[in-house]
Amino acid sequence: MSTKRFAHTDQSIWSQADEIGVAGILIREGEHPLDGLVLAASLAARQRVGFVAVEVAVGGHPIHLAEKAAVADQVLSGRLILILRGDDSDILAETASIVTAAARARPVATTDGRWPTPALLDANSGVSWTTVRVTPTPHQLRLPVFVSGPGGQAAALRTAIPYFADVEDSSESLGEHWEEMKARFGTAADNLTRGAIRTLTGFDNSAASMLRSDRQDWGAELAFMQSDDAEWTRGSIRDLAARLQPRMALDELPDGLTEYWDQTQ
């Protein structure tokens, strides 16, 4: 996990994320009264450097979701990460497939499933559409899309869209999942970003140990840290980022360096 992969979920820190030293923020589904993608776009002027990940529950029309994500990514100048969350693996897989296709510049068409695209409604009987294209397209050449939730691993195995692990997923189970992804999709699975949400248990070296374990066991590259600790403040986040970044930069630290850092920090 690189030194640029420490991110934060607490909205009180979001507008100050650049100066604190975190690489990005996560807007979790259901935790805020505003639509997550609208909220992400509203942060563009206050959080200028890091990425903004948004967790969105599936169930609505995938084309509408792709349109909102494209606009948010344009406002954020290409810093959006979209995490699609769902319980039903069929709905999640179909939504993720259509959103991923619609978030590209080329036209898209699907004929099967819940949401045939174009829908060919009676009101449009006089047109000859055979494809649709979402405009504007996202700012990024390829919008990062993940699947998550109870249906996430099964959806990932159907679509080759990466699963974003949650706090309850163990390193062992994730190792097994990514082995299955590799068996099904071959070397293409190696090109998928592997990420997770993890719970912070203290502002010490335990966080680095946990993230190192994830990196070693299943190849984690991106981690969002969350905590219910009342002391989750600007200062503690800055201190934690200072601890994590050098400790994650190397797979193994030279003898005595950790002890020296602990004495001087």
Side-chain angles (χ1 to χ4, degrees), residues 9-262:
T9 63
D10 190 330
Q11 61 179 324
S12 66
I13 308 296
W14 289 348
S15 62
Q16 305 157 18
D18 296 340
E19 61 186 84
I20 290 175
V22 301
I25 58 177
L26 168 64
I27 301 173
R28 299 218 67 175
E29 189 273 326
E31 290 188 352
H32 312 284
L34 290 177
D35 179 286
L37 289 167
V38 174
L39 182 56
S42 73
L43 293 171
R46 290 181 287 164
Q47 199 257 348
R48 298 177 179 275
V49 178
F51 53 80
V52 180
V54 182
E55 191 179 62
V56 179
V58 300
H61 200 295
I63 294 296
H64 296 164
L65 177 55
E67 289 172 337
K68 290 200 297 184
V71 171
D73 192 53
Q74 283 285 350
V75 175
L76 287 164
S77 299
R79 294 183 288 127
L80 179 69
I81 295 174
L82 183 62
I83 303 174
L84 301 175
R85 185 176 183 86
D87 297 337
D88 187 306
S89 61
D90 291 337
I91 294 176
L92 182 56
E94 183 177 354
T95 301
S97 295
I98 295 175
V99 168
T100 301
R104 306 184 73 174
R106 62 191 183 208
V108 60
T110 62
T111 57
D112 301 323
R114 295 167 180 80
W115 298 286
T117 304
L120 300 179
L121 302 176
D122 292 340
N124 297 326
S125 59
V127 301
S128 57
W129 297 333
T130 58
T131 61
V132 298
R133 189 167 65 87
V134 171
T135 55
T137 57
H139 187 281
Q140 300 174 76
L141 182 62
R142 192 156 193 171
L143 181 70
V145 178
F146 295 84
V147 291
S148 70
Q153 292 195 23
L157 288 165
R158 288 178 54 185
T159 62
I161 295 171
Y163 173 66
F164 207 94
D166 216 329
V167 292
E168 65 270 12
D169 290 313
S170 67
S171 285
E172 181 180 2
S173 68
L174 291 169
E176 294 172 354
H177 168 73
W178 282 103
E179 285 296 324
E180 193 171 357
M181 290 286 286
K182 181 68 177 289
R184 182 161 302 189
F185 300 112
T187 56
D190 294 332
N191 296 324
L192 301 176
T193 302
R194 306 181 183 192
I197 301 169
R198 289 306 191 211
T199 299
L200 185 67
T201 56
F203 298 100
D204 53 23
N205 295 335
S206 62
S209 298
M210 174 177 57
L211 296 179
R212 274 199 187 135
S213 176
D214 279 342
R215 180 172 62 187
Q216 179 176 346
D217 293 345
W218 55 276
E221 302 167 88
L222 171 63
F224 290 100
M225 307 299 292
Q226 66 177 21
S227 175
D228 297 326
D229 196 314
E231 297 182 3
W232 190 239
T233 64
R234 291 180 60 195
S236 58
I237 298 302
R238 185 183 291 110
D239 292 344
L240 181 63
R243 283 179 174 274
L244 275 178
Q245 290 178 356
R247 285 169 173 80
M248 298 305 298
L250 300 174
D251 290 332
E252 185 175 347
L253 298 177
D255 291 340
L257 183 56
T258 298
E259 291 77 8
Y260 173 76
W261 278 342
D262 289 341

